[in-house]
Amino acid sequence: MHRGDWLTDQIRKFDQLRGRRIESWTGVEMALREDVGGSPRFEDATVPFLQLAPLTARLDDGTFFTVDTDQGDRSWGLLPNPGAPGTSTDPGGIFRLRSLPELPLGEVDAVSAFLDDDVLAEVLIRIQGRSLLLMAGEVYEQWDGGLSFVRHDESVLVFTDPSAAESIDWLPERRKRDFGQR
């Protein structure tokens, strides 16, 4: 299968969410900072998203839809996996399995995919009028205590406010997106 055909297939898999009803979300969250006072830190006021690997939606018919990442020729992109139940055990360490009640529930109204660097870089899902932006990327803790934000990396970054992605200094730079009404 050619890369273009494979990407079209991945977009089609995401588009299959349209009209489906999401009942709950779970994910394996990756710490933003590895060792703060002897334990990993998962929250930071300067980070407007969750960092997950993977993210799983449970649909109203009891099936699952898992989103992970996949490495292309040059960078990482989002990888949809309809039917996959995700992770059911807590991996521990800098990872934790948790329910994600902060993510929107209900019927999926629309799905938009954004290709970049020959990968499926971002997907915008509108659920009963609320938007959820998924992006392949990762947060890196710097030696000076700061954080850097990298696109096209191996985690699924989840924004409940897609416009928050515009305020981050991304490496590599990210093109501005017009998400329309939220």
Side-chain angles (χ1 to χ4, degrees):
M1 179 181 286
H2 291 98
R3 181 78 178 159
D5 294 338
W6 186 83
L7 284 170
T8 300
D9 188 52
Q10 302 315 301
I11 293 168
R12 182 189 56 75
K13 287 177 182 177
F14 270 109
D15 200 47
Q16 289 175 352
L17 282 173
R18 190 184 320 262
R20 303 291 304 273
R21 185 169 185 80
I22 297 174
E23 295 290 322
S24 65
W25 295 96
T26 57
V28 175
E29 190 172 19
M30 182 178 166
L32 302 172
R33 298 181 185 279
E34 290 193 28
D35 188 11
V36 178
S39 62
R41 189 160 136 202
F42 294 90
E43 295 87 17
D44 187 300
T46 65
V47 180
F49 56 81
L50 298 171
Q51 179 173 243
L52 306 167
L55 167 66
T56 300
R58 186 177 56 81
L59 305 175
D60 62 343
D61 64 358
T63 61
F64 297 92
F65 189 96
T66 296
V67 181
D68 212 334
T69 55
D70 178 67
Q71 188 170 21
D73 292 337
R74 297 184 305 218
S75 59
W76 292 82
L78 297 172
L79 180 68
N81 197 348
T87 303
S88 61
T89 59
D90 194 334
I94 64 166
F95 298 95
R96 67 178 180 185
L97 176 65
R98 74 176 186 93
S99 170
L100 302 165
E102 63 268 51
L103 302 186
L105 302 175
E107 186 173 327
V108 176
D109 303 320
V111 177
S112 301
F114 300 93
L115 300 176
D116 192 9
D117 201 24
D118 201 30
V119 295
L120 183 53
E122 300 178 23
V123 172
L124 182 69
I125 303 172
R126 187 178 308 272
I127 303 165
Q128 290 191 202
R130 291 182 60 201
S131 294
L132 190 66
L133 175 65
L134 311 180
M135 178 189 300
E138 198 151 318
V139 175
Y140 285 91
E141 185 176 10
Q142 303 300 308
W143 289 106
D144 65 2
L147 298 173
S148 61
F149 302 94
V150 179
R151 295 175 56 244
H152 302 298
D153 214 322
E154 58 191 303
S155 293
V156 179
L157 308 181
V158 181
F159 293 82
T160 56
D161 176 5
S163 66
E166 304 296 336
S167 64
I168 295 173
D169 290 326
W170 294 103
L171 300 171
E173 188 174 339
R174 177 179 177 266
R175 289 179 299 145
K176 184 176 173 87
R177 306 272 190 239
D178 181 11
F179 294 119
Q181 295 181 0
R182 281 176 265 304

